[in-house]
Amino acid sequence: MILIDGREAAAKLKKEIAREVAAMIDSDMKAPHLAAVLVGDDPASQTYVSSKEKASRAVGITSSIYRLSAKTTEKELLDLIDFLNKDEEVDGFIVQLPLPNHINVERIINAIDYRKDVDGFHPMNVGKMVLGEPSLISATPRGILYLLETYKIETKGKNVVVLGRSNIVGTPMSILLSRKAPNGDATVTLCHSRTQNLKEITLKADIIIAAIGQPEFLKGNMVKEGAVVIDVGIHRIDDEKAAKGYRLTGDVDFKAVSKKTSHITPVPGGVGPMTIAALLKNTLLAAKK
Ligand code: L34
């Protein structure tokens, strides 16, 4: 069993990004600038946004964070988006999800200038992605493609099962893997909460992408011998024995599933760091446009 090291793969990608940023600065361009908007005080979101800031700085990307209270109105958030759309200093920005319930996520995403939408969530980027046109691609699926490439995992002609149909991960992942492309050409089955006989389907998969949002959902008896498993889930489980009072687990029962896989991603240290590296890559692309 090969453990896919997301931290190592992310470090490699970040090194390439740092080189490109340095070259931009050498040719008298300004450094790319990524802004992040964080609404409320969800502890996990705070961790992810701080990691994004740290990673940006480490590769020479300028970073700024707009921290807003959980009581921020939709109008106030839309005004900030309008400001960031117009701010010539900012090449790309994200609005960290989830947002408080009183804010309509679609309306927020639609308000972002798609050229600055480094999350790749705007309908224009999603549409271009579906059509195979150059676009900003959602960071988590993009990061997973990098992981598969790095570990030379062939997708062409393989049976891939994607668990979960979210706009951010499951849906774009299923489209990207089925595209006519070097890291696509797979036969993809997208499974979700209404899927019947799930186990029969997952047992046929050469590659399983678990993005269903339920801790340890994928069990050992659902995976065939020699499969590749990518765990997108990240859950904080209360644990008195852990230093932080919680431990992290994914959507995969790692202990049982890893006994069967040829390759598997851990949580933490798998997909998470790649999401951040892919976001930096998108920021670089947005800055170069
Ligand atoms: N707008 N919202 C927007 N864009 C995104 O791309 C995200 N996502 C998801 C949640 N909301 C978002 C993230 O940033 C998930 N996500 C994310 C990013 C980084 C990590 C996990 C999720 C990460 O760094 N994970 C570490 C462990 C972090 C910890 O200690 O909690 C890991 O090794 O998996």
Side-chain angles (χ1 to χ4, degrees), residues 7 44-45 47-48 51-52 94-98 119 121 139-140 168 234 236 244 246 248 266-273 275-276 279:
R7 290 193 187 112
S45 294
T47 303
Y48 306 154
S51 302
K52 290 173 183 181
I94 65 162
V95 178
Q96 187 71 18
L97 303 179
D119 260 333
F121 294 169
T140 301
I168 299 179
I234 183 155
R236 294 183 169 198
K244 291 182 175 170
Y246 63 85
L248 293 174
V267 175
V271 172
T275 295
I276 293 178
L279 172 68

mmCIF file of all heavy atoms in Angstrom, residues 7 44-45 47-48 51-52 94-98 119 121 139-140 168 234 236 244 246 248 266-273 275-276 279, ligand 1:
data_model
loop_
_atom_site.group_PDB
_atom_site.id
_atom_site.type_symbol
_atom_site.label_atom_id
_atom_site.label_comp_id
_atom_site.label_asym_id
_atom_site.label_seq_id
_atom_site.Cartn_x
_atom_site.Cartn_y
_atom_site.Cartn_z
ATOM 1 N N ARG A 7 1.154 16.516 1.491
ATOM 2 C CA ARG A 7 2.024 17.631 1.909
ATOM 3 C C ARG A 7 3.224 17.726 0.985
ATOM 4 O O ARG A 7 3.618 18.819 0.571
ATOM 5 C CB ARG A 7 2.494 17.440 3.356
ATOM 6 C CG ARG A 7 1.376 17.614 4.353
ATOM 7 C CD ARG A 7 1.876 17.737 5.795
ATOM 8 N NE ARG A 7 0.744 17.735 6.707
ATOM 9 C CZ ARG A 7 0.467 16.746 7.564
ATOM 10 N NH1 ARG A 7 1.279 15.709 7.673
ATOM 11 N NH2 ARG A 7 -0.605 16.813 8.329
ATOM 12 N N ALA A 44 -12.887 25.761 12.023
ATOM 13 C CA ALA A 44 -12.231 25.067 10.907
ATOM 14 C C ALA A 44 -11.937 26.063 9.783
ATOM 15 O O ALA A 44 -10.830 26.094 9.237
ATOM 16 C CB ALA A 44 -13.095 23.919 10.405
ATOM 17 N N SER A 45 -12.917 26.930 9.466
ATOM 18 C CA SER A 45 -12.707 27.919 8.400
ATOM 19 C C SER A 45 -11.536 28.842 8.745
ATOM 20 O O SER A 45 -10.751 29.212 7.873
ATOM 21 C CB SER A 45 -13.964 28.764 8.201
ATOM 22 O OG SER A 45 -15.013 27.971 7.705
ATOM 23 N N THR A 47 -8.934 28.096 10.515
ATOM 24 C CA THR A 47 -7.703 27.336 10.276
ATOM 25 C C THR A 47 -7.364 27.326 8.786
ATOM 26 O O THR A 47 -6.230 27.607 8.397
ATOM 27 C CB THR A 47 -7.877 25.869 10.737
ATOM 28 O OG1 THR A 47 -8.249 25.866 12.103
ATOM 29 C CG2 THR A 47 -6.596 25.073 10.559
ATOM 30 N N TYR A 48 -8.362 27.030 7.942
ATOM 31 C CA TYR A 48 -8.089 26.904 6.503
ATOM 32 C C TYR A 48 -7.658 28.244 5.914
ATOM 33 O O TYR A 48 -6.727 28.304 5.107
ATOM 34 C CB TYR A 48 -9.320 26.378 5.750
ATOM 35 C CG TYR A 48 -9.884 25.073 6.294
ATOM 36 C CD1 TYR A 48 -11.226 24.741 6.123
ATOM 37 C CD2 TYR A 48 -9.065 24.167 6.986
ATOM 38 C CE1 TYR A 48 -11.741 23.549 6.626
ATOM 39 C CE2 TYR A 48 -9.584 22.986 7.489
ATOM 40 C CZ TYR A 48 -10.926 22.688 7.315
ATOM 41 O OH TYR A 48 -11.440 21.524 7.814
ATOM 42 N N SER A 51 -4.153 29.021 6.892
ATOM 43 C CA SER A 51 -3.216 28.197 6.115
ATOM 44 C C SER A 51 -3.035 28.781 4.718
ATOM 45 O O SER A 51 -1.935 28.767 4.161
ATOM 46 C CB SER A 51 -3.706 26.767 5.973
ATOM 47 O OG SER A 51 -3.900 26.183 7.222
ATOM 48 N N LYS A 52 -4.118 29.290 4.151
ATOM 49 C CA LYS A 52 -4.043 29.870 2.805
ATOM 50 C C LYS A 52 -3.172 31.117 2.818
ATOM 51 O O LYS A 52 -2.371 31.344 1.902
ATOM 52 C CB LYS A 52 -5.461 30.194 2.284
ATOM 53 C CG LYS A 52 -6.268 28.936 1.964
ATOM 54 C CD LYS A 52 -7.715 29.215 1.616
ATOM 55 C CE LYS A 52 -8.454 27.885 1.377
ATOM 56 N NZ LYS A 52 -9.869 28.056 1.012
ATOM 57 N N ILE A 94 -11.407 34.841 -2.667
ATOM 58 C CA ILE A 94 -12.356 33.774 -2.323
ATOM 59 C C ILE A 94 -13.236 34.237 -1.165
ATOM 60 O O ILE A 94 -12.819 35.084 -0.367
ATOM 61 C CB ILE A 94 -11.636 32.477 -1.906
ATOM 62 C CG1 ILE A 94 -10.833 32.676 -0.606
ATOM 63 C CG2 ILE A 94 -10.706 31.989 -3.017
ATOM 64 C CD1 ILE A 94 -10.459 31.392 0.087
ATOM 65 N N VAL A 95 -14.425 33.691 -1.110
ATOM 66 C CA VAL A 95 -15.289 33.869 0.057
ATOM 67 C C VAL A 95 -15.371 32.483 0.687
ATOM 68 O O VAL A 95 -15.951 31.556 0.100
ATOM 69 C CB VAL A 95 -16.691 34.374 -0.341
ATOM 70 C CG1 VAL A 95 -17.578 34.508 0.886
ATOM 71 C CG2 VAL A 95 -16.584 35.702 -1.089
ATOM 72 N N GLN A 96 -14.740 32.312 1.830
ATOM 73 C CA GLN A 96 -14.664 30.994 2.454
ATOM 74 C C GLN A 96 -16.057 30.496 2.822
ATOM 75 O O GLN A 96 -16.867 31.233 3.384
ATOM 76 C CB GLN A 96 -13.750 31.060 3.700
ATOM 77 C CG GLN A 96 -13.443 29.731 4.352
ATOM 78 C CD GLN A 96 -12.504 28.836 3.545
ATOM 79 O OE1 GLN A 96 -11.790 29.284 2.643
ATOM 80 N NE2 GLN A 96 -12.488 27.557 3.861
ATOM 81 N N LEU A 97 -16.352 29.235 2.512
ATOM 82 C CA LEU A 97 -17.635 28.614 2.849
ATOM 83 C C LEU A 97 -17.433 27.661 4.035
ATOM 84 O O LEU A 97 -16.327 27.173 4.229
ATOM 85 C CB LEU A 97 -18.169 27.838 1.638
ATOM 86 C CG LEU A 97 -18.354 28.648 0.347
ATOM 87 C CD1 LEU A 97 -18.864 27.744 -0.779
ATOM 88 C CD2 LEU A 97 -19.290 29.835 0.553
ATOM 89 N N PRO A 98 -18.413 27.356 4.826
ATOM 90 C CA PRO A 98 -19.808 27.803 4.700
ATOM 91 C C PRO A 98 -20.021 29.242 5.156
ATOM 92 O O PRO A 98 -19.247 29.764 5.957
ATOM 93 C CB PRO A 98 -20.549 26.839 5.631
ATOM 94 C CG PRO A 98 -19.533 26.451 6.672
ATOM 95 C CD PRO A 98 -18.212 26.461 5.965
ATOM 96 N N ASP A 119 -11.577 30.406 -6.756
ATOM 97 C CA ASP A 119 -12.201 29.167 -6.284
ATOM 98 C C ASP A 119 -12.817 28.387 -7.445
ATOM 99 O O ASP A 119 -13.154 27.209 -7.284
ATOM 100 C CB ASP A 119 -13.329 29.485 -5.287
ATOM 101 C CG ASP A 119 -12.898 29.312 -3.839
ATOM 102 O OD1 ASP A 119 -11.982 28.513 -3.586
ATOM 103 O OD2 ASP A 119 -13.505 29.970 -2.972
ATOM 104 N N PHE A 121 -15.814 28.761 -8.631
ATOM 105 C CA PHE A 121 -17.208 28.425 -8.289
ATOM 106 C C PHE A 121 -18.227 29.164 -9.150
ATOM 107 O O PHE A 121 -19.402 28.808 -9.168
ATOM 108 C CB PHE A 121 -17.517 28.776 -6.820
ATOM 109 C CG PHE A 121 -16.760 27.966 -5.798
ATOM 110 C CD1 PHE A 121 -16.781 28.339 -4.447
ATOM 111 C CD2 PHE A 121 -16.045 26.828 -6.152
ATOM 112 C CE1 PHE A 121 -16.094 27.598 -3.490
ATOM 113 C CE2 PHE A 121 -15.348 26.085 -5.192
ATOM 114 C CZ PHE A 121 -15.381 26.480 -3.861
ATOM 115 N N ALA A 139 -10.465 24.341 -6.644
ATOM 116 C CA ALA A 139 -9.152 23.951 -6.125
ATOM 117 C C ALA A 139 -9.076 22.493 -5.639
ATOM 118 O O ALA A 139 -8.063 21.827 -5.861
ATOM 119 C CB ALA A 139 -8.735 24.897 -4.996
ATOM 120 N N THR A 140 -10.109 21.999 -4.998
ATOM 121 C CA THR A 140 -10.021 20.632 -4.474
ATOM 122 C C THR A 140 -9.952 19.598 -5.602
ATOM 123 O O THR A 140 -9.029 18.776 -5.628
ATOM 124 C CB THR A 140 -11.163 20.338 -3.479
ATOM 125 O OG1 THR A 140 -11.067 21.272 -2.404
ATOM 126 C CG2 THR A 140 -11.083 18.927 -2.934
ATOM 127 N N ILE A 168 -18.857 21.973 -5.242
ATOM 128 C CA ILE A 168 -17.447 22.304 -5.029
ATOM 129 C C ILE A 168 -16.533 21.141 -5.370
ATOM 130 O O ILE A 168 -15.444 21.325 -5.888
ATOM 131 C CB ILE A 168 -17.228 22.729 -3.561
ATOM 132 C CG1 ILE A 168 -18.055 23.963 -3.244
ATOM 133 C CG2 ILE A 168 -15.765 22.949 -3.274
ATOM 134 C CD1 ILE A 168 -17.906 24.419 -1.814
ATOM 135 N N ILE A 234 -13.149 15.918 5.729
ATOM 136 C CA ILE A 234 -12.340 16.351 6.868
ATOM 137 C C ILE A 234 -13.290 16.722 7.999
ATOM 138 O O ILE A 234 -14.090 17.636 7.874
ATOM 139 C CB ILE A 234 -11.331 17.461 6.483
ATOM 140 C CG1 ILE A 234 -10.469 17.840 7.677
ATOM 141 C CG2 ILE A 234 -12.005 18.684 5.862
ATOM 142 C CD1 ILE A 234 -9.132 18.435 7.305
ATOM 143 N N ARG A 236 -13.863 17.037 12.355
ATOM 144 C CA ARG A 236 -13.250 17.138 13.688
ATOM 145 C C ARG A 236 -14.083 16.294 14.650
ATOM 146 O O ARG A 236 -15.255 16.585 14.872
ATOM 147 C CB ARG A 236 -13.241 18.590 14.160
ATOM 148 C CG ARG A 236 -12.352 19.463 13.306
ATOM 149 C CD ARG A 236 -12.290 20.892 13.807
ATOM 150 N NE ARG A 236 -11.223 21.588 13.088
ATOM 151 C CZ ARG A 236 -10.661 22.722 13.475
ATOM 152 N NH1 ARG A 236 -11.065 23.316 14.581
ATOM 153 N NH2 ARG A 236 -9.684 23.268 12.770
ATOM 154 N N LYS A 244 -5.505 18.900 20.945
ATOM 155 C CA LYS A 244 -6.427 19.996 20.620
ATOM 156 C C LYS A 244 -7.859 19.722 21.080
ATOM 157 O O LYS A 244 -8.754 20.527 20.849
ATOM 158 C CB LYS A 244 -6.441 20.228 19.105
ATOM 159 C CG LYS A 244 -5.126 20.813 18.575
ATOM 160 C CD LYS A 244 -5.221 21.067 17.083
ATOM 161 C CE LYS A 244 -3.973 21.774 16.561
ATOM 162 N NZ LYS A 244 -3.938 21.810 15.095
ATOM 163 N N TYR A 246 -9.669 17.396 19.822
ATOM 164 C CA TYR A 246 -10.343 16.689 18.738
ATOM 165 C C TYR A 246 -9.301 15.990 17.881
ATOM 166 O O TYR A 246 -8.121 16.309 17.923
ATOM 167 C CB TYR A 246 -11.166 17.651 17.871
ATOM 168 C CG TYR A 246 -10.339 18.696 17.149
ATOM 169 C CD1 TYR A 246 -9.747 18.415 15.917
ATOM 170 C CD2 TYR A 246 -10.136 19.964 17.697
ATOM 171 C CE1 TYR A 246 -8.982 19.359 15.259
ATOM 172 C CE2 TYR A 246 -9.366 20.922 17.040
ATOM 173 C CZ TYR A 246 -8.787 20.615 15.828
ATOM 174 O OH TYR A 246 -8.020 21.533 15.181
ATOM 175 N N LEU A 248 -8.792 14.506 13.680
ATOM 176 C CA LEU A 248 -9.348 14.674 12.338
ATOM 177 C C LEU A 248 -9.570 13.312 11.711
ATOM 178 O O LEU A 248 -8.754 12.402 11.871
ATOM 179 C CB LEU A 248 -8.376 15.470 11.457
ATOM 180 C CG LEU A 248 -8.160 16.935 11.829
ATOM 181 C CD1 LEU A 248 -7.067 17.543 10.962
ATOM 182 C CD2 LEU A 248 -9.445 17.734 11.688
ATOM 183 N N PRO A 266 -4.175 10.037 3.247
ATOM 184 C CA PRO A 266 -4.513 10.148 4.669
ATOM 185 C C PRO A 266 -5.289 11.445 4.941
ATOM 186 O O PRO A 266 -5.326 12.336 4.105
ATOM 187 C CB PRO A 266 -3.134 10.227 5.328
ATOM 188 C CG PRO A 266 -2.280 10.936 4.314
ATOM 189 C CD PRO A 266 -2.808 10.518 2.964
ATOM 190 N N VAL A 267 -5.900 11.534 6.101
ATOM 191 C CA VAL A 267 -6.491 12.782 6.603
ATOM 192 C C VAL A 267 -6.024 12.938 8.041
ATOM 193 O O VAL A 267 -6.261 12.042 8.848
ATOM 194 C CB VAL A 267 -8.036 12.725 6.580
ATOM 195 C CG1 VAL A 267 -8.617 13.991 7.217
ATOM 196 C CG2 VAL A 267 -8.563 12.568 5.166
ATOM 197 N N PRO A 268 -5.306 14.004 8.382
ATOM 198 C CA PRO A 268 -4.848 15.088 7.504
ATOM 199 C C PRO A 268 -3.663 14.659 6.629
ATOM 200 O O PRO A 268 -3.220 13.520 6.720
ATOM 201 C CB PRO A 268 -4.434 16.168 8.520
ATOM 202 C CG PRO A 268 -3.990 15.405 9.732
ATOM 203 C CD PRO A 268 -4.902 14.205 9.789
ATOM 204 N N GLY A 269 -3.182 15.589 5.819
ATOM 205 C CA GLY A 269 -1.967 15.358 5.036
ATOM 206 C C GLY A 269 -2.212 14.774 3.654
ATOM 207 O O GLY A 269 -1.281 14.330 2.992
ATOM 208 N N GLY A 270 -3.473 14.768 3.203
ATOM 209 C CA GLY A 270 -3.777 14.253 1.873
ATOM 210 C C GLY A 270 -4.273 15.361 0.959
ATOM 211 O O GLY A 270 -3.495 16.166 0.455
ATOM 212 N N VAL A 271 -5.598 15.392 0.781
ATOM 213 C CA VAL A 271 -6.212 16.342 -0.150
ATOM 214 C C VAL A 271 -6.129 17.795 0.348
ATOM 215 O O VAL A 271 -5.926 18.722 -0.455
ATOM 216 C CB VAL A 271 -7.684 15.934 -0.418
ATOM 217 C CG1 VAL A 271 -8.415 16.989 -1.219
ATOM 218 C CG2 VAL A 271 -7.728 14.578 -1.136
ATOM 219 N N GLY A 272 -6.251 18.014 1.667
ATOM 220 C CA GLY A 272 -6.280 19.384 2.226
ATOM 221 C C GLY A 272 -5.133 20.268 1.737
ATOM 222 O O GLY A 272 -5.371 21.343 1.168
ATOM 223 N N PRO A 273 -3.876 19.841 1.921
ATOM 224 C CA PRO A 273 -2.758 20.673 1.467
ATOM 225 C C PRO A 273 -2.768 20.920 -0.040
ATOM 226 O O PRO A 273 -2.333 21.980 -0.503
ATOM 227 C CB PRO A 273 -1.523 19.851 1.867
ATOM 228 C CG PRO A 273 -1.993 18.955 2.974
ATOM 229 C CD PRO A 273 -3.433 18.671 2.689
ATOM 230 N N THR A 275 -5.487 21.269 -1.884
ATOM 231 C CA THR A 275 -6.506 22.291 -2.142
ATOM 232 C C THR A 275 -5.860 23.672 -2.050
ATOM 233 O O THR A 275 -6.089 24.548 -2.891
ATOM 234 C CB THR A 275 -7.651 22.174 -1.103
ATOM 235 O OG1 THR A 275 -8.310 20.931 -1.303
ATOM 236 C CG2 THR A 275 -8.653 23.308 -1.219
ATOM 237 N N ILE A 276 -5.023 23.831 -1.043
ATOM 238 C CA ILE A 276 -4.376 25.129 -0.842
ATOM 239 C C ILE A 276 -3.381 25.420 -1.970
ATOM 240 O O ILE A 276 -3.378 26.512 -2.544
ATOM 241 C CB ILE A 276 -3.710 25.165 0.553
ATOM 242 C CG1 ILE A 276 -4.821 25.118 1.614
ATOM 243 C CG2 ILE A 276 -2.823 26.404 0.701
ATOM 244 C CD1 ILE A 276 -4.359 25.103 3.031
ATOM 245 N N LEU A 279 -5.181 26.401 -5.101
ATOM 246 C CA LEU A 279 -5.703 27.771 -5.007
ATOM 247 C C LEU A 279 -4.609 28.787 -5.378
ATOM 248 O O LEU A 279 -4.867 29.768 -6.082
ATOM 249 C CB LEU A 279 -6.212 28.030 -3.583
ATOM 250 C CG LEU A 279 -6.603 29.472 -3.271
ATOM 251 C CD1 LEU A 279 -7.844 29.887 -4.053
ATOM 252 C CD2 LEU A 279 -6.831 29.666 -1.771
HETATM 253 N N1 L34 B 1 -14.647 29.212 -0.694
HETATM 254 N N2 L34 B 1 -14.622 27.506 0.846
HETATM 255 C C1 L34 B 1 -14.102 28.070 -0.268
HETATM 256 N N3 L34 B 1 -13.058 27.537 -0.934
HETATM 257 C C2 L34 B 1 -12.491 26.380 -0.506
HETATM 258 O O1 L34 B 1 -11.497 25.821 -1.203
HETATM 259 C C3 L34 B 1 -12.987 25.780 0.658
HETATM 260 N N4 L34 B 1 -12.422 24.637 1.192
HETATM 261 C C4 L34 B 1 -13.315 23.660 1.823
HETATM 262 C C5 L34 B 1 -14.168 24.407 2.842
HETATM 263 N N5 L34 B 1 -14.632 25.697 2.362
HETATM 264 C C6 L34 B 1 -14.086 26.348 1.307
HETATM 265 C C7 L34 B 1 -11.210 24.585 1.784
HETATM 266 O O2 L34 B 1 -10.383 25.476 1.698
HETATM 267 C C8 L34 B 1 -12.316 22.715 2.474
HETATM 268 N N6 L34 B 1 -11.059 23.434 2.471
HETATM 269 C C9 L34 B 1 -9.896 22.978 3.123
HETATM 270 C C10 L34 B 1 -8.674 23.610 2.953
HETATM 271 C C11 L34 B 1 -7.548 23.169 3.610
HETATM 272 C C12 L34 B 1 -7.605 22.090 4.452
HETATM 273 C C13 L34 B 1 -8.810 21.453 4.629
HETATM 274 C C14 L34 B 1 -9.948 21.897 3.966
HETATM 275 C C15 L34 B 1 -6.382 21.665 5.173
HETATM 276 O O3 L34 B 1 -5.411 22.366 5.201
HETATM 277 N N7 L34 B 1 -6.396 20.498 5.815
HETATM 278 C C16 L34 B 1 -5.279 19.979 6.564
HETATM 279 C C17 L34 B 1 -5.590 19.906 8.049
HETATM 280 C C18 L34 B 1 -6.075 21.174 8.626
HETATM 281 C C19 L34 B 1 -6.469 21.057 10.099
HETATM 282 O O4 L34 B 1 -5.574 20.827 10.921
HETATM 283 O O5 L34 B 1 -7.668 21.208 10.422
HETATM 284 C C20 L34 B 1 -4.993 18.580 6.054
HETATM 285 O O6 L34 B 1 -3.857 18.130 6.191
HETATM 286 O O7 L34 B 1 -5.919 17.941 5.537
#
